Amino acid sequence: MFKKMLIPLTGGLLLTGNAWALSLQEALIAANTYNAEINAARSEHDADSQKKYQGFAGLLPVVTLNGAWNKTDQPDAAYSAGVTRHNYSFNVTQPIFDVSKYATWRKSLVISDLADVNYLIAQQKLITDVVSAFYDVVYQRSVLETNQRILAAFNAKLKQSQKALEVGDGTRLDEVEAQANYDKAVADELASENSLNDAYVTFRQMTGLDAQGISDQTLSCVRYTQDINPEQIKQLATANNLDVLSAIQTQKGTEADITTATSNYMPVVTFQAGYGKNWSRAENSNLLDDLFGTTSKTDNTTYGVNVSIPLFAGGSHISQSLEAAHRYEQSKDLLINARRKAEQQAIQAASGVRNDQSRIRAYERAISSAEKRLTSTRYGREIGQRTLIDEFNAEKDYYQAIQDLAQAQNSLIQSIVKLKSATGALDYAAMQIFNCGAA
């Protein structure tokens, strides 16, 4: 199952990989082998997967080979001095009716299935973290680029206002306003540089790769084109959400515990069989006795059925049964709670996707309007109907709209990931939605 999950990721890489740009698919492949957390989860999954074989082994026969050698010395005896005794036996034990072994086998299957779910949860976390780190780099770059443009524009305005003041064509208020805007732009650029460096560090820690290779053209191209049907989303969440699947396995485990507690009242029937030989030799024996132990050799063959019926154990079995019943009721309530949370998370994520899509369209229109306003304000200042402060405000609104759009685009990506996670669809194949290279 897990090998199949890696195929879409590799396929996406072959289709979209570029020599000059690091794709999200490449980042996921790198993180899948570099990240220590997913490697630990993989080892834990492989270890817990062995439980089902261990549990099934309890239903199979147990075959043993036993052997012994010992020597008894009687120095004063004429014939029996230094007697050595030898024996070996093959023994087979097969449970015929043992409810506790059956319950152990069922519990081992639950542990193995729960290991699969936990590994998928670890994969979802890895995908979420890598996507967040990847697009956080792109977003912080866009913020830095916008702040650099703002700084360049306000630097030009500061020089322009200073020159205008020198020639008597400006006012001290314009220069002060320009200086304040320039100083704020310098501080914003430094802050955005620090945030970008933090994003680089986070991405490297997740994947071991240099974030410098990430393309800057991947933020705006991500779109969510699938229909958002609330009822369908809730059904997918209650059926496929990994927290729900984990709660289902927990409930199955408590059912196995009830069977284990019930086994305390049930008889245990076991078939046993054995075959072996015994012989002894003495120091003063004849030649045949020395070679074969023929003077004292026996063959033993045993077989039979053992039945063990529990009668009284001080009341502990009754207490264990009651505990198992309460644990089962708890697991049912936890499953209901997990399904309700999954529905809530899915609906909230779907609402976030719709809201982010609306915000993106609104900010795209806002950028167009702010650009037109900035152009008209500059023209109005040229003809004396607008001041330099008006132009500053128009520029601030324009660049703020650009930053708001980038933030909304990044928020859309995070909302898509949350929606996929809530409905249990966040796997490597789902990353094709971020495959901008195929657009």
Side-chain angles (χ1 to χ4, degrees):
M1 176 172 61
F2 304 105
K3 292 182 179 178
K4 292 181 180 180
M5 295 179 65
L6 292 173
I7 293 176
L9 175 63
T10 308
L13 173 60
L14 294 176
L15 291 173
T16 63
N18 296 307
W20 55 272
L22 175 63
S23 68
L24 176 61
Q25 287 78 11
E26 289 174 308
L28 286 168
I29 288 179
N32 191 56
T33 56
Y34 175 81
N35 186 265
E37 188 174 357
I38 191 65
N39 287 333
R42 189 178 296 113
S43 298
E44 182 180 13
H45 165 262
D46 294 342
D48 288 342
S49 295
Q50 297 301 315
K51 292 294 185 181
K52 59 184 177 183
Y53 304 111
Q54 299 170 15
F56 185 70
L59 304 176
L60 300 179
V62 176
V63 182
T64 60
L65 171 62
N66 299 323
W69 175 94
N70 60 76
K71 182 176 181 178
T72 303
D73 194 7
Q74 300 182 33
D76 297 333
Y79 175 78
S80 300
V83 176
T84 59
R85 292 179 173 82
H86 313 262
N87 68 79
Y88 71 87
S89 64
F90 290 95
N91 303 287
V92 179
T93 303
Q94 171 64 55
I96 298 176
F97 182 83
D98 193 336
V99 178
S100 65
K101 291 186 179 295
Y102 170 73
T104 300
W105 172 61
R106 285 186 56 190
K107 189 64 176 287
S108 69
L109 293 179
V110 172
I111 294 175
S112 180
D113 291 341
L114 185 59
D116 293 341
V117 175
N118 289 334
Y119 183 53
L120 289 174
I121 291 175
Q123 281 189 330
Q124 277 199 354
K125 183 179 184 303
L126 176 71
I127 294 173
T128 300
D129 292 343
V130 172
V131 171
S132 177
F134 184 90
Y135 284 103
D136 190 45
V137 169
V138 180
Y139 170 67
Q140 295 299 338
R141 279 183 183 170
S142 69
V143 173
L144 176 59
E145 180 183 358
T146 302
N147 286 331
Q148 287 173 340
R149 293 173 62 186
I150 294 174
L151 178 60
F154 287 163
N155 183 40
K157 288 296 185 295
L158 176 59
K159 293 180 179 179
Q160 181 182 354
S161 62
Q162 289 174 344
K163 185 176 180 180
L165 183 62
E166 290 176 359
V167 300
D169 194 26
T171 65
R172 177 64 65 178
L173 178 61
D174 290 340
E175 183 191 22
V176 171
E177 182 72 20
Q179 185 67 52
N181 283 294
Y182 173 78
D183 293 339
K184 177 65 165 59
V186 171
D188 289 342
E189 184 191 34
L190 293 174
S192 58
E193 286 180 351
N194 183 69
S195 297
L196 179 58
N197 289 333
D198 290 343
Y200 280 169
V201 171
T202 301
F203 181 79
R204 178 178 286 276
Q205 189 273 335
M206 287 295 305
T207 64
L209 299 176
D210 188 357
Q212 296 285 351
I214 297 177
S215 171
D216 292 338
Q217 305 300 320
T218 53
L219 188 62
S220 60
C221 68
V222 176
R223 292 290 186 271
Y224 189 82
T225 58
Q226 302 177 12
D227 293 335
I228 299 179
N229 186 322
E231 291 301 321
Q232 182 180 8
I233 287 175
K234 287 195 293 186
Q235 292 177 1
L236 290 174
T238 55
N240 302 326
N241 183 275
L242 294 184
D243 290 334
V244 173
L245 297 182
S246 177
I248 291 175
Q249 295 304 322
T250 301
Q251 184 181 30
K252 290 182 179 180
T254 58
E255 291 176 349
D257 291 337
I258 290 179
T259 305
T260 301
T262 304
S263 68
N264 294 326
Y265 307 97
M266 306 296 291
V268 176
V269 182
T270 306
F271 170 78
Q272 293 181 337
Y275 172 78
K277 286 181 178 293
N278 297 272
W279 71 93
S280 62
R281 299 169 184 163
E283 290 182 349
N284 299 324
S285 59
N286 57 43
L287 180 62
L288 293 178
D289 191 30
D290 288 339
L291 293 176
F292 305 106
T294 53
T295 58
S296 179
K297 177 181 287 188
T298 60
D299 293 343
N300 299 315
T301 301
T302 61
Y303 57 88
V305 176
N306 294 334
V307 179
S308 175
I309 301 176
L311 296 179
F312 179 70
S316 63
H317 294 166
I318 297 176
S319 178
Q320 292 172 8
S321 297
L322 293 174
E323 178 187 359
H326 291 308
R327 298 290 184 192
Y328 177 68
E329 293 300 322
Q330 178 194 27
S331 68
K332 291 197 298 184
D333 291 331
L334 291 176
L335 177 57
I336 293 174
N337 185 58
R339 283 175 171 156
R340 289 173 178 173
K341 283 186 176 181
E343 288 183 358
Q344 177 185 356
Q345 292 170 357
I347 293 300
Q348 288 176 340
S351 176
V353 170
R354 287 195 298 264
N355 182 56
D356 291 331
Q357 288 175 327
S358 300
R359 289 172 59 204
I360 288 174
R361 291 190 294 267
Y363 286 132
E364 287 174 343
R365 293 192 298 268
I367 290 175
S368 178
S369 299
E371 186 176 13
K372 293 178 181 178
R373 178 192 173 195
L374 178 58
T375 301
S376 63
T377 302
R378 286 173 177 169
Y379 176 73
R381 182 168 176 267
E382 291 176 0
I383 63 176
Q385 294 183 354
R386 293 290 186 270
T387 64
L388 182 60
I389 295 177
D390 293 333
E391 187 175 351
F392 281 147
N393 292 332
E395 284 184 327
K396 288 179 183 179
D397 292 341
Y398 172 68
Y399 289 119
Q400 183 62 48
I402 294 176
Q403 287 192 357
D404 290 340
L405 175 61
Q407 193 276 333
Q409 291 168 337
N410 189 42
S411 178
L412 173 63
I413 292 171
Q414 307 306 322
S415 296
I416 293 174
V417 171
K418 290 179 181 179
L419 179 59
K420 294 288 186 180
S421 177
T423 56
L426 185 62
D427 53 23
Y428 293 135
M431 294 299 98
Q432 291 297 325
I433 195 172
F434 301 118
N435 184 5
C436 297

